[in-house]
Structures are given as C-alpha cells and as structure tokens.
Amino acid sequence: MKIALISPEVFPFAKTGGLADVAGALPKYLARHGQEVIIIMPKYQAIDGDRHGLTDTGLEITVELGKETDRHKLFVSDHISGVKTYLVEAQNYFDREQLYGTPNGDYADNSLRFGFFAKSVPEVLEAIGFEADILHCNDWQTGLVPVYLREKAENGGFLSNAKTLFTIHNIAYQGLFDRKELPKLGLGWEYFVMEALEFWEKVSFMKGGIVFSDAVSTVSRKYSEEIQTPEFGYGLETILSSKRDVLHGIPNGIDPEEWDPATDDRIAARFSVSDIGPKQECKRALAEENGLAYSTDVPIIGMITRLAAQKGLDILSKCIEELVDLGIQFVILGTGDNEYHRIFQSFKEKLAGRAGINIMFDASMAQRIYAGSDMFLMPSRYEPCGLGQLISMRYGTVPIVRRTGGLSDTVTEFDPRAMSGTGFVFSEYTAGALTETVKRALNLYKDETRWRKIVENAMNYDSSWNRSSAEYTELFQKILGE
Ligand code: ADP
C-alpha cells in the first residue's frame, strides 16, 4: 500500500505534544512492515534545516487559496528511517515563533494557515508523483484534506481512487472559525450546512475530517467510546455515533528505539529491567538539578505536561502542598496556558527545595524526568491516549493515573497479592481521590520487594508500535476493501 501520513507536527522536526511522537513513529513501523509511506508537514521556521537534513526538492507547487495563487517550495528529509518527509514552505504562514499560537492564544489566521496546508497536500502528492492509496490525516489542522481531495479528484484523474482515514488525537481542539473564512478558503456555501462543515454557525475543520473521510479513528479504544457521549464528545458525539461503523480505536505506541533507558545518552546512567541499579544515579542527578535533597526514602513524582485544563492541574493545585507534606518530592515540567503558568510559578517559589517546577518545553529535561523519577503523575480530566504513562513505564517510573481514555486502557492497578499490575489508578476527578491514590503508591514504595515488582511489571509492558502499526495496516486494508 502507498500511504501518505499528513500531520501538523512530526517528531523530530517539530513537536508540541504526543501527536508529533505518533506521526514520527507510526510511519517508520508501517514502512518496516513493507508499506510505502511518506509524511507531509508544514515547514516551520523552528525546524533546523541543517540538523534535520532538509534539502530542496527543486519542485514547486501551486496552491490557490481564495483569491491568492502562490507558488511554494517543497523540501524533503530522510531523517525518519525508511520514510521521506516532505515539508511545504509558506513563509507568511509558517515562519512564526510557535506552531499554533502563543500562551495568549491561537494565531488569528490559523484557518488560512492550515487551510493552505490541507489544500497543498494533493498538490504535493501530484508534484512528487506519489499516487497514495490512503491519505492518513491527523487532527483538525488536516481536517480539510478530504474536502480538498474531493474537490480535486471530482472529475477523475490523479488521486481519484485515494481513500482517507481521519485520526482524532484530541477532540477538544476542533479548529472552529468564523463563517467569513469559508470563501477565503476557496470553498462554496454548499459546505456551510450541518451535514458538512457547519457547527453552531461556525466552520469546523475537525467536522470536515470526520464527515468527508472514509473512516475515522482515535487513539485508544476507551476514548473511541467516550467521544460518542456528551461528556467527552464536545458537541460531535452525535455525528460520531452515526459513523460508529467506521469509527475505530487504535492505541498509540511509543518508539522503543527513541525511548530506551539502556541506550539513552541524555540521562545520567543507563539501566534496564535486569540492571535497575543505575536508575538511582538518574534520580540523584534529577534531585540535584531541581534543588531537592536526594533520598531513597523519599520518592520523586515526575510530571511532564502541557499546562492545559485537560491535564488535571486544577485538582493537583488543590492538593500539591498536602502531598509534599507527606514526604514526597515533585519535579514538574510544563508549558501552556498563562493561567497555569501563574499558578505553578507561585508553587515554584512556595515549594522551593521540595518541588522543582520548570515552566518551559525541554525535550532533554523530559528524558531526565522520565528516568530519574520514581512515579509519574497524570491526573487527566480526559486523555485520548497519553504517551507520558507509556514512556514512564519504559523508564521504570510507576504511573499514577486517572481512569480515563488511553490511561484506562494502558495502566492497571497493582494487586499486591497477585503481584500484577503496572501502576495506580483512580476514578473520581477530585483532589481527594488523587491524594488517596498517591498515599497508596507511597505505602507500596516503602515495601521494597513489592515496589521492585511493580517497576519490573511497568518496564515489561509492551507499548511498542509493532502491535499498533499492524492494527493500522489492517484498517487501511479494510478501507481499501481488500
Ligand atoms: P498531549 O499530546 O496531550 O500533550 P501526550 O501524553 O500524548 O499528551 O504526549 C505528550 C508528549 O509531549 C510526551 O512525549 C511528553 O514527554 C512531551 N511533552 C509535553 N510537555 C513537554 C515539555 N514541557 N517539555 C518536553 N516535552 C514535553
């Protein structure tokens, strides 16, 4: 099969969250299993062309958007093994400091930025002569790809047999814009109806992806059920239930080569499930870096997160001081909304010496936290899949999570009798339930034999892409009617 994965962010080129990890790893594993795969993404200013081996293909594409027609250069990189990544240049859209916006809000012209990107995709495929069987679109930024594809392939010709899969990584971010944007996107008013792009008087890019794709998927089984309910569907639950027959839940994996404590040279010492001792050196270094006193008796809880309402920061803020008083240290790394920057800045001062709080995006520090912490906290209000719990398990850092979405699918409560399970799980979205669960973890931490077992269970959990990429292959075959 010929597959084009389309994503607004791809690791290692540009990343704000888990989508980039998925978009960078899944194609690699599909290619290893014999599929022909390419990636298409925007060429952002933040991408270091030299470091990521970008070369100019010499090709240019023409994209008509509203009244504008422009020519755009196409770059390519071989940095993801077995897969070519094509990057579309559009300086007025993508030469910005950030990918989607600043802590004060989204860029005002995001409809045009990602409308342009979506419209460029069929042109890129034609320019490079890649007649894809499947266009695999990811999140709202690519929601208009099936729409523009339909327009382009309407009268037969290139890509007229292509099918589309739209994957929802987070339904809360829908790409909703004023109706005035529609003509600027070169789309007629026939699209401004409930059966197409209209969503409560706005234009919804995500709805475009859901309505006009041949199949829809999301990133865990539980979340694929949750988004069909009013609590989690953010207004799209009805349309999703009506597409139930073509709605699938495939859990994300992580790239075991990218996240491997036995070979990771960004952490203080290397370790594995059979040689766990050196993890203590990682903990010591992490404590020191964060101004904490290192002690084997005091567990460090790590947290790496976008600072957004989804992530359970409101319940954490209510109990973090009490938790620290129990004799636990925290190391938090995160960036995001201004509101949370302020809250965590004040904890940074108040809890100095007991919690290290780092308000920034720093991939290397993330690695040091995964490796050096004893436990990893994800008290999310909702979580489509979540990668933090998978990465932390791989580094022998025991997850404490709320029972929602992918967290519920991937972490099982430790059973001290059967000695099974990989973490600690709570259901109620309250500071009280979170505190109780951390106390449970703290008690087990004091029991060396059992703690050793839970760490081993976590490290042995299979979260590799081999399994999930095979599920995607099956789904693609089903979409193609094979
Ligand atoms: P989401 O996609 O909702 O942000 P995930 O758990 O699926 O959440 O993925 C988050 C990814 O982004 C993980 O790889 C995590 O390590 C990384 N990450 C999040 N915040 C930061 C940060 N401030 N610095 C470095 N990496 C981060």
Side-chain angles (χ1 to χ4, degrees), residues 20-49:
D21 293 317
V22 174
L26 171 61
K28 188 161 122 182
Y29 283 82
L30 289 170
R32 275 194 199 163
H33 291 103
Q35 315 302 341
E36 203 180 325
V37 194
I38 64 158
I39 300 172
I40 305 176
M41 68 176 294
K43 182 177 177 291
Y44 299 106
Q45 170 186 291
I47 299 174
D48 183 336

Side-chain angles (χ1 to χ4, degrees), residues 4 11 15 43 70 73 113 128 196 199 205 227 265 272 275 323 331 408 414 471 474:
F11 181 81
K15 164 167 167 176
K43 182 177 177 291
D70 267 327
K73 282 188 178 179
R113 298 176 73 226
I128 61 175
F199 182 80
F205 277 34
I227 56 174
D265 56 14
S272 63
D275 178 24
L323 295 176
V331 176
S408 165
F414 185 71
E471 285 191 47
E474 262 174 52

Side-chain angles (χ1 to χ4, degrees), residues 1-72:
M1 277 183 284
K2 286 183 147 180
I3 300 155
L5 181 135
I6 301 133
S7 175
E9 54 181 272
V10 181
F11 181 81
F13 305 103
K15 164 167 167 176
T16 69
L19 170 57
D21 293 317
V22 174
L26 171 61
K28 188 161 122 182
Y29 283 82
L30 289 170
R32 275 194 199 163
H33 291 103
Q35 315 302 341
E36 203 180 325
V37 194
I38 64 158
I39 300 172
I40 305 176
M41 68 176 294
K43 182 177 177 291
Y44 299 106
Q45 170 186 291
I47 299 174
D48 183 336
D50 291 337
R51 190 155 74 91
H52 294 302
L54 261 57
T55 54
D56 188 342
T57 59
L59 298 168
E60 279 189 355
I61 55 166
T62 304
V63 181
E64 274 177 51
L65 204 69
K67 295 193 196 106
E68 314 263 346
T69 303
D70 267 327
R71 292 186 69 70
H72 297 272

Side-chain angles (χ1 to χ4, degrees), residues 15-19 21 259 304-306 310-311 333-335 360-363 366 370 378 383 386-388 391:
K15 164 167 167 176
T16 69
L19 170 57
D21 293 317
W259 308 100
I304 301 164
T305 183
R306 283 183 297 112
Q310 167 199 346
K311 299 293 184 180
L333 168 64
T335 178
M360 62 182 87
F361 192 96
D362 183 335
Y370 285 123
M378 291 179 80
E383 195 61 74
L387 294 177
I391 302 169

Side-chain angles (χ1 to χ4, degrees), residues 411-458:
V411 180
T412 42
E413 175 80 23
F414 185 71
D415 175 343
R417 289 219 187 105
M419 299 284 260
S420 63
T422 55
F424 301 90
V425 187
F426 64 100
S427 296
E428 228 181 277
Y429 188 76
T430 59
L434 167 56
T435 307
E436 283 314 305
T437 312
V438 171
K439 283 183 184 162
R440 221 160 54 235
L442 185 59
N443 277 338
L444 198 83
Y445 181 78
K446 291 177 186 149
D447 180 336
E448 217 174 288
T449 314
R450 290 206 163 88
W451 190 258
R452 165 84 218 200
K453 183 63 185 160
I454 194 174
V455 168
E456 276 175 22
N457 291 353

Side-chain angles (χ1 to χ4, degrees), residues 99-114:
L99 268 54
Y100 314 126
T102 66
N104 295 320
D106 290 347
Y107 290 130
D109 57 350
N110 272 353
S111 61
L112 291 181
R113 298 176 73 226
F114 293 102

Side-chain angles (χ1 to χ4, degrees), residues 271 276-285 294-296 374 445:
F271 58 94
I276 195 96
K279 183 171 165 71
Q280 284 308 313
E281 281 180 54
C282 298
K283 177 171 174 179
R284 187 190 293 275
Y294 165 79
S295 161
T296 49
D374 297 289
Y445 181 78

